């Protein structure tokens, strides 16, 4: 037996990648099996219905605001020119009764109306000094 190292031939060390790949695959499989997935993209919202047996205010103390699907705002049957908060606020201030009592702004928003348009009406009522804002609701039929 010849145990002498030959000086002319040097061998390069080799790294075997097969065990490394096996370990990585086992780790990936373990992570896939133990990971839980939560559905957060969609929220299920159950909208409340309202009981219409509350106190009814006289007509002179109400300002009815309708928001259409196209975004038009109608205050007491009068269409507001433009959709800006300032225009809506000036019409709301003009619709305010001369009495000392503060009227209630009732917002009738179409189901297809933009949320931003409804928020604009709420901000316009605040700018006009009208702090009592409510939404028109539909009474539940099956009770």
């Amino acid at each position: 037996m010849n145990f002498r190292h030959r000086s002319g031939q040097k061998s390069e060390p080799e790294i075997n990648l097969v065990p490394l790949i096996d370990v990585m695959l086992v780790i990936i499989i373990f992570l896939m099996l133990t990971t839980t997935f939560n559905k957060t993209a969609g929220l299920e919202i159950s909208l409340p219905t309202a009981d219409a047996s509350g106190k009814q205010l006289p007509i002179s103390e109400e300002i009815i605001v309708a928001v259409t699907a196209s975004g038009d705002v109608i205050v007491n049957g009068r269409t507001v020119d433009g959709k800006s908060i300032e225009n809506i606020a000036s019409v709301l201030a003009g619709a305010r009764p001369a009495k000392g009592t503060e009227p209630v702004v009732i917002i009738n928003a179409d189901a297809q109306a933009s949320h931003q348009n409804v928020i604009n009406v709420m901000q316009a009522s605040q700018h006009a000094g009208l702090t009592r804002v409510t939404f028109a609701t539909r009474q539940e039929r099956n009770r």
Side-chain angles (χ1 to χ4, degrees):
M1 291 189 136
N2 189 4
F3 290 110
R4 282 188 266 157
H5 188 274
R6 295 184 180 164
S7 61
Q9 296 179 346
K10 290 192 174 184
S11 63
E12 293 279 332
E14 292 183 24
I15 298 176
N16 194 357
L17 293 179
V18 174
L20 178 66
I21 292 172
D22 289 343
V23 169
M24 293 302 292
L25 285 175
V26 168
I27 290 173
I28 289 173
I29 292 171
F30 174 76
L31 290 176
M32 287 174 49
L33 292 176
T34 59
T35 302
T36 59
F37 297 100
N38 293 331
K39 181 180 177 184
T40 58
L43 297 175
E44 292 181 27
I45 298 174
S46 176
L47 296 176
T49 57
D51 185 14
S53 64
K55 178 183 171 187
Q56 297 292 326
L57 298 174
I59 294 176
S60 63
E61 293 183 9
E62 294 177 347
I63 299 175
I64 308 295
V65 179
V67 181
T68 64
S70 62
D72 296 328
V73 178
I74 303 167
V75 178
N76 287 343
R78 181 177 158 210
T79 303
V80 177
D81 296 330
K83 298 178 185 177
S84 70
I85 295 173
E86 292 79 19
N87 291 348
I88 300 169
S90 65
V91 173
L92 284 173
R96 190 178 201 149
K99 292 183 189 179
T101 60
E102 183 179 355
V104 175
V105 177
I106 300 174
I107 300 174
N108 293 314
D110 188 89
Q112 301 300 319
S114 169
H115 184 70
Q116 183 63 50
N117 292 334
V118 176
I119 296 297
N120 288 347
V121 171
M122 292 174 66
Q123 286 181 337
S125 66
Q126 183 182 17
H127 287 293
L130 302 168
T131 58
R132 296 174 60 193
V133 178
T134 187
F135 292 92
T137 58
R138 193 176 355 178
Q139 197 173 24
E140 186 177 9
R141 293 182 187 196
N142 299 333
R143 274 199 155 191

